[in-house]
Amino acid sequence: MLLVIDCGNTNTVFAVYEDGREEPIGSWRTSTNADRTADEYAVWLTQLMALDALNTGGIDSVIIATVVPATLFNLKTLCRKHFGIDPMVIGQSPTEIGIEVRIDRPEEVGADRVVNAVAAHKLYGGPLIVVDFGTATTFDVVEDDGGYAGGIICPGINLSLEALYMAAAQLPRVAIRPPERMPGDNDPVRVIGKNTRAAMHSGIFWGYVAMIEGLVARIRTEYGRPMKVVGTGGLAALFADWTSAIEIVDDDLTLAGLRMIHDKNRGQTGAA
């Protein structure tokens, strides 16, 4: 079995694939914590896999992508100590991602962004835009041949909400949610809030819809050709219901990309 580890700024996802299967047979999420030890990961993962009738002894290969460098040592120690495996690591030789990164400093692009580009191109062709709703909201351009052409990084939705709450003394903490129709209200997409909470909900929700639509339009204009748009991340489905700018939603894009890169590098191991 293949263990895929996707370590983001907020959450880390572990997923297990059987050989020849494109869908994970199990996946589990934990908060990202650079201080979590290899032994703590092992206890947590072993228990969760056992609940799904899976045995860690069946893991014979691991691939890791992390955007938090401080987590990598303990994740690699987990693989070596508890699975006896030297993992493949995105961004470390000899693991090859299989696409060209066409930006000024290729080493600076986040591992998750190039992994998403690999998966999106293989699954949906190109050119396309990948919109990833994570700690940051990113827009990434993937060309006809799968090359990564750059993109845009914006503050994530929850980060923006928390900053608003922390910086404005009289504003409450609110959560992102879709618009709600009020009793007797015939307009399900009302924008003008009639109280502070409604105004904040409207601002964050419709503000991000406007940002998505505006940036997608500007990227398409600059690129000069029609481009598909793939949304991924926890809030992709929510926003896709309210804007036609997102044409495809794929929550497991990063995991799929890691599996594809592993298959391409099968038989190789990551650097020590």
Side-chain angles (χ1 to χ4, degrees):
M1 294 189 297
L2 166 67
L3 174 63
V4 164
I5 304 175
D6 171 26
C7 181
N9 286 296
T10 303
N11 293 309
T12 300
V13 179
F14 293 71
V16 172
Y17 289 84
E18 285 184 329
D19 288 345
R21 289 191 56 170
E22 296 185 355
E23 298 297 326
I25 57 175
S27 64
W28 310 273
R29 182 181 301 265
T30 186
S31 58
T32 297
N33 180 354
D35 294 327
R36 185 170 288 123
T37 67
D39 294 335
E40 288 171 330
Y41 279 123
V43 171
W44 174 84
L45 183 60
T46 299
Q47 291 179 340
L48 286 172
M49 288 184 66
L51 288 174
D52 287 347
L54 298 171
N55 188 342
T56 55
I59 294 173
D60 56 20
S61 190
V62 183
I63 186 167
I64 301 171
T66 181
V67 297
V68 185
T71 65
L72 186 55
F73 176 81
N74 286 329
L75 289 172
K76 292 171 77 171
T77 302
L78 164 72
C79 300
R80 291 166 174 160
K81 178 179 179 180
H82 293 280
F83 305 137
I85 296 167
D86 196 27
M88 299 181 191
V89 179
I90 301 300
Q92 291 191 0
S93 178
T95 304
E96 298 289 341
I97 60 171
I99 63 171
E100 185 177 350
V101 179
R102 298 169 182 147
I103 63 173
D104 295 338
R105 296 180 181 271
E107 70 279 4
E108 291 182 354
V109 67
D112 54 341
R113 300 173 73 187
V114 293
V115 169
N116 284 346
V118 169
H121 183 262
K122 184 165 184 179
L123 292 170
Y124 308 111
L128 54 81
I129 304 166
V130 179
V131 185
D132 190 350
F133 296 87
T135 305
T137 299
T138 58
F139 297 72
D140 293 305
V141 175
V142 184
E143 302 198 86
D144 275 311
D145 62 355
Y148 177 83
I152 300 169
I153 303 173
C154 308
I157 297 164
N158 290 319
L159 188 64
S160 297
L161 280 169
E162 188 65 16
L164 189 61
Y165 167 73
M166 294 296 293
Q170 290 188 300
L171 295 182
R173 178 180 274 119
V174 299
I176 187 68
R177 59 171 174 77
E180 294 180 357
R181 178 177 290 172
M182 301 300 291
D185 190 348
N186 294 321
D187 184 1
V189 292
R190 186 173 295 278
V191 173
I192 301 172
K194 298 297 186 180
N195 55 65
T196 299
R197 285 185 176 274
M200 291 177 69
H201 281 300
S202 182
I204 199 70
F205 186 85
W206 292 117
Y208 266 84
V209 168
M211 181 185 77
I212 293 163
E213 293 174 342
L215 289 179
V216 165
R218 286 179 177 272
I219 291 170
R220 283 172 166 161
T221 298
E222 183 173 322
Y223 198 76
R225 295 178 52 196
M227 305 172 78
K228 288 178 259 186
V229 180
V230 179
T232 191
L235 294 173
L238 169 64
F239 283 100
D241 285 341
W242 293 90
T243 175
S244 60
I246 299 174
E247 300 163 89
I248 302 164
V249 174
D250 190 334
D251 290 333
D252 294 327
L253 195 65
T254 310
L255 297 180
L258 283 169
R259 178 188 56 77
M260 293 171 188
I261 293 170
H262 166 268
D263 290 348
K264 180 179 179 64
N265 288 268
R266 185 181 294 274
Q268 300 180 38
T269 55

